[in-house]
Amino acid sequence: MTEYKILFVDEEEEALENFQYYVHERNSDKAIHLIAMVPNDELNELLEYIEIENFDAIITDHKLNEKKSSIEYDGINLVRAIQAKKENFPCFILTGWDKDAVENGDDANIVYLKNFEDPKGDSHATFLDKIKNQILKYRKKIKDSENELLNLIEKSDEQDLNAIEEARLIELDTFIEKSTNQKSSLPEHLKGTKNLDELHKMIDSTDKLLEELKKLN
C-alpha cells in the first residue's frame, strides 16, 4: 500500500530517470508513489497541480530554468511558494549547485547534492529515510493540531475562552485548513470570537487616537 506520495521536479529528462531509478531500487516495500515531471512554465500552474494531487513531499531541482528559459522560477521560488501556504511542508532541493542553493535559500537543511550516494550500513539514514521522516513529522504536527483544536472547541462548550485561547483556536484552524485542503472545522459560533472582536475594536480605537495626536503635534 502506498504511504507516501512524492513529486520530483526537474527540467532534465536524464535527472528524472536517474531519480526514478534510485527510488525504484530502494522502494522494496512499495510504500512510495513517485511522480517525476518537467516543471510547468508558470509557477501558478505547478502550484495548482501540487494542490490538486495532494502530495506528501516535494523534491525539486534548484536551477529549473537552466535548460528551458521559458520557466519563470527556480526551485527556491517553488519551495517558498509552497511553504508560504503550508508552513513547514516537507520540501527538498536536490541540486548540483548546493553552495548557490544554500546561500540563496531559506533553509540549508533541505539542500542535498544531486549526485549523492547513500551511506552504507543500517545505522545511517538514506535520502528516502529523511524524506519519510519529514513527512511523518508533518503528519504528527497536523494530528497534534487537530487534537488541540478539538480540546479548545470542547472547552468552549463549557466556558468562554480567553483572548489567547481564541487566537490559538483561529491559528490552529487556519493551519489545519491549509495543510489538509479541508474546509474550516470550526463551528459557526466560534468563527467570530468575542474577545478577538473586542481586541480589534480596541486596536482601531488606538489607531484613531494616534492619528489625532499626530494632527495636534
Side-chain angles (χ1 to χ4, degrees):
M1 177 184 291
T2 300
E3 294 184 29
Y4 312 98
K5 187 177 180 181
I6 297 171
L7 175 67
F8 177 56
V9 181
D10 199 299
E11 84 281 15
E12 295 188 51
E13 291 291 344
E14 183 179 358
L16 296 175
E17 292 172 1
N18 288 342
F19 192 72
Q20 285 174 309
Y21 178 77
Y22 166 79
V23 172
H24 175 75
E25 288 295 296
R26 290 157 179 78
N27 191 27
S28 57
D29 59 358
K30 306 300 180 185
I32 293 176
H33 174 50
L34 174 69
I35 294 178
M37 63 176 284
V38 174
N40 305 70
D41 286 351
E42 295 185 9
L43 178 57
N44 286 337
E45 291 181 358
L46 181 53
L47 292 174
E48 183 178 348
Y49 171 73
I50 289 171
E51 184 171 356
I52 292 171
E53 290 297 322
N54 198 26
F55 290 101
D56 292 305
I58 308 297
I59 306 164
T60 176
D61 180 36
H62 176 208
K63 297 183 178 293
L64 292 173
N65 50 13
E66 196 172 32
K67 301 289 185 181
K68 192 178 176 185
S69 59
S70 60
I71 298 174
E72 62 178 23
Y73 56 95
D74 61 17
I76 292 174
N77 301 141
L78 175 58
V79 170
R80 283 176 179 160
I82 293 170
Q83 294 189 334
K85 183 173 183 181
K86 297 186 175 185
E87 184 182 359
N88 297 323
F89 183 85
C91 291
F92 301 85
I93 296 176
L94 199 57
T95 178
W97 303 86
D98 61 324
K99 186 174 186 295
D100 185 50
V102 167
E103 289 177 352
N104 293 295
D106 302 318
D107 184 359
N109 294 316
I110 69 171
V111 178
Y112 292 84
L113 276 171
K114 185 176 289 187
N115 297 322
F116 66 90
E117 290 185 8
D118 285 334
K120 305 298 182 182
D122 294 337
S123 62
H124 297 283
T126 67
F127 181 55
L128 286 186
D129 289 332
K130 293 174 182 178
I131 295 171
K132 292 177 183 178
N133 183 260
Q134 288 303 108
I135 292 173
L136 292 174
K137 285 183 177 179
Y138 189 68
R139 288 177 180 175
K140 184 178 185 302
K141 182 178 179 180
I142 294 173
K143 187 65 177 177
D144 289 345
S145 298
E146 288 173 338
N147 289 335
E148 186 180 351
L149 179 65
L150 181 60
N151 288 336
L152 283 172
I153 292 174
E154 290 177 347
K155 182 176 180 180
S156 72
D157 291 336
E158 300 175 359
Q159 64 185 74
D160 289 338
L161 301 180
N162 60 41
I164 294 176
E165 290 171 328
E166 288 183 352
R168 181 59 176 163
L169 191 80
I170 301 299
E171 179 186 1
L172 289 166
D173 185 61
T174 301
F175 169 72
I176 294 166
E177 186 176 6
K178 289 181 176 181
S179 300
T180 61
N181 295 331
Q182 296 176 359
K183 291 184 179 180
S184 172
S185 59
L186 276 185
E188 286 297 325
H189 71 279
L190 289 176
K191 290 183 179 179
T193 52
K194 181 181 65 177
N195 284 305
L196 287 179
D197 288 342
E198 292 300 320
L199 180 60
H200 291 151
K201 290 177 183 177
M202 187 187 306
I203 292 171
D204 289 339
S205 298
T206 303
D207 289 340
K208 290 176 183 178
L209 178 60
L210 289 173
E211 287 298 321
E212 293 297 324
L213 290 173
K214 286 179 182 179
K215 291 176 183 179
L216 290 174
N217 292 331

